[in-house]
Amino acid sequence: SSEDITEVENYTNKKYAEPNAEYFGKAEGKNIIKIHLESFQSFLIDYELHGEEVTPFLNSLVHDQSKNFTYFDNFFHQTEQGKTADAEFLMDNSLYGLPQGSAFVTKGTNTYQSLPAIMDQEHDYTSAVLHGDEGSFWNRDKIYKQFGIDKFYDSSSYDMRDEQVINYGLKDKPFFEQSMPMLEDLAEKDEPFYAHLITLTHHYPFILDEGDETIEKAETGDGTVDRYFQTARYLDESLRQFFEDLKEKGLYEDSVIMIYGDHYGISENHNKAMSEILGEEEITQLKNANLQRVPFMIRVPGVDGQGTNHEFSGQADVMPTLLHLLGIEDKDYIQFGTDLFSDEHKDFVPFRNGSFMTKDYSYVQGVFYHNDTGEVIEEPTDEMKELRDQVHYELSLNDEVLNGDLLRFYEPNEQWEPVDPNDYQYGKSSE
Ligand code: GP9
Ligand code: MN
């Protein structure tokens, strides 16, 4: 009911982080290119295998200050069973997915006040998702309409001939190559645009065609882990080429570029091989929680990158960050994350199962740990327990929003116009 949404509103209002004046509005009117790194975990950054960097291009974005990226090395995915879909959900709504199943599928007809719709209503942005798989996967072709996503280029927009496809869909290299004309089209007709490119090749079981391998496998004997580095390298190479193409077409210089990892690629079933990879005696529960880091990198034209930012943060924080960069006052929107560049950013990271990370200690599967020693905290302080309760309360509010479809009852501001899914059409029929 509307009373329930008021309780949520009170909570998110209290959690709200004021924008940082140094960043507020700095990306206003700029095109935004958001790049999804499938199954990419942060341990790959700077990792060397057989004496070679696995992802030299991404590493160069992290380390080369002249490229002006800010890299968040304590950024975590917050997904559950919804995997890619949960990551998309978190980043475009600043809401968590569900504890079980996928909100994309089971809450696909809910009312949302999503980032693409807000950007459109506040600053006339055109939004597009580009992905070389069938549009109905994860119910995308339905829920994107609730999010107010204007264009959805799925596999029907790409040349999916056999030799360009592997695993779930189009290989990343042809995907980026074939996406260029679509981006040019957006640039020509629909500026400013918000384009979201979802890669696919670096996905379990991490297979490549012969000839696409440019680094040797790892040698743990666990095939999944051993191949993981090869598909990561392939993704890294595809990105290098994509950046070159963007530059050549004049789409790089003045665009915001955002890069994120969606979720882990290596599950706990592979702990033994991972301990070898990381030179650890054992992958403990705490270590596993720490491995849930995924990269988040952002470059805003005209703004100096910070190099590496160590703030503890997660996918729910991206939407408020972007809204502030665009100069959009967002206090009235229901968001559980907080702006990464704000001095008031809240540096605890809830996981969907109720565990959470902070810079000093972690709460994993019901146990508190010191981050520096990895030791169990036998007697957690009141402050720690309060934060644990807050995280659980926050997640329960989130679930009320989703299960009760509460945004139906919420009017962020007087100008807000509810999104009508019938206004959106995807695929060949709309062309
Ligand atoms: C499917 C792709 C993979 O289109 O996004 O989804 P995942 O299995 O990672 O959730
Ligand atoms: Mn995924």
Side-chain angles (χ1 to χ4, degrees), residues 36-40 79 82-88 131 138 140 198-200 202-204 261-264:
H36 166 114
L37 305 181
E38 179 58 42
S39 301
F40 197 104
T79 68
K83 308 299 293 292
T84 296
D86 278 358
E88 293 183 50
H131 185 49
W138 282 130
R140 284 183 174 105
I198 305 178
T199 62
L200 205 45
H202 186 42
H203 188 290
Y204 181 84
D262 64 340
H263 51 73
Y264 67 77

Side-chain angles (χ1 to χ4, degrees), residues 40 44-47 53-71 236-237 239-241 243-244 247 252 259 297 299 307-308:
F40 197 104
L44 286 167
I45 298 292
D46 290 337
Y47 191 86
E53 291 176 75
V54 177
T55 60
F57 181 66
L58 284 162
N59 297 349
S60 78
L61 302 184
V62 170
H63 297 296
D64 183 347
Q65 294 274 13
S66 71
K67 292 185 175 165
N68 276 320
F69 273 84
T70 300
Y71 169 56
D236 189 69
E237 289 181 351
L239 272 177
R240 183 193 297 276
Q241 184 62 49
F243 272 53
E244 273 171 30
K247 285 177 185 166
Y252 182 84
I259 300 177
M297 305 180 195
R299 167 192 176 271
T308 300

Side-chain angles (χ1 to χ4, degrees), residues 137-243:
F137 199 97
W138 282 130
N139 203 33
R140 284 183 174 105
D141 56 352
K142 302 258 163 32
I143 201 166
Y144 282 177
K145 297 180 179 177
Q146 308 289 342
F147 292 173
I149 291 172
D150 295 303
K151 301 186 181 212
F152 180 22
Y153 299 99
D154 71 354
S155 54
S156 66
S157 301
Y158 289 90
D159 175 0
M160 302 286 290
R161 76 184 62 187
D162 268 1
E163 61 267 30
Q164 305 208 335
V165 167
I166 196 160
N167 205 352
Y168 277 82
L170 190 58
K171 299 196 227 177
D172 295 342
K173 286 183 185 179
F175 166 67
F176 280 123
E177 193 187 321
Q178 292 183 40
S179 296
M180 282 310 297
M182 302 167 196
L183 294 176
E184 286 178 81
D185 201 52
L186 287 166
E188 205 175 301
K189 301 182 197 135
D190 296 307
E191 283 193 320
F193 65 79
Y194 169 44
H196 179 191
L197 294 99
I198 305 178
T199 62
L200 205 45
T201 308
H202 186 42
H203 188 290
Y204 181 84
F206 311 111
I207 44 173
L208 289 176
D209 284 325
E210 231 169 291
D212 286 336
E213 301 163 355
T214 58
I215 185 167
E216 294 288 318
K217 287 189 175 94
E219 288 164 347
T220 67
D222 177 329
T224 299
V225 172
D226 293 352
R227 291 187 301 272
Y228 186 71
F229 298 92
Q230 295 185 304
T231 47
R233 166 64 74 77
Y234 175 83
L235 172 56
D236 189 69
E237 289 181 351
S238 74
L239 272 177
R240 183 193 297 276
Q241 184 62 49
F242 181 53
F243 272 53

Side-chain angles (χ1 to χ4, degrees), residues 103-120:
F104 258 45
V105 175
T106 62
K107 306 298 172 194
T109 55
N110 274 17
T111 295
Y112 295 100
Q113 285 137 16
S114 307
L115 182 61
I118 296 171
M119 288 168 66
D120 179 25

Side-chain angles (χ1 to χ4, degrees), residues 351 354-357 361-369 388 392:
F351 293 158
S355 299
F356 65 96
M357 311 297 281
Y361 66 93
S362 307
Y363 178 75
V364 183
Q365 313 265 7
V367 182
F368 286 95
Y369 298 91
R388 173 195 61 197
H392 295 174

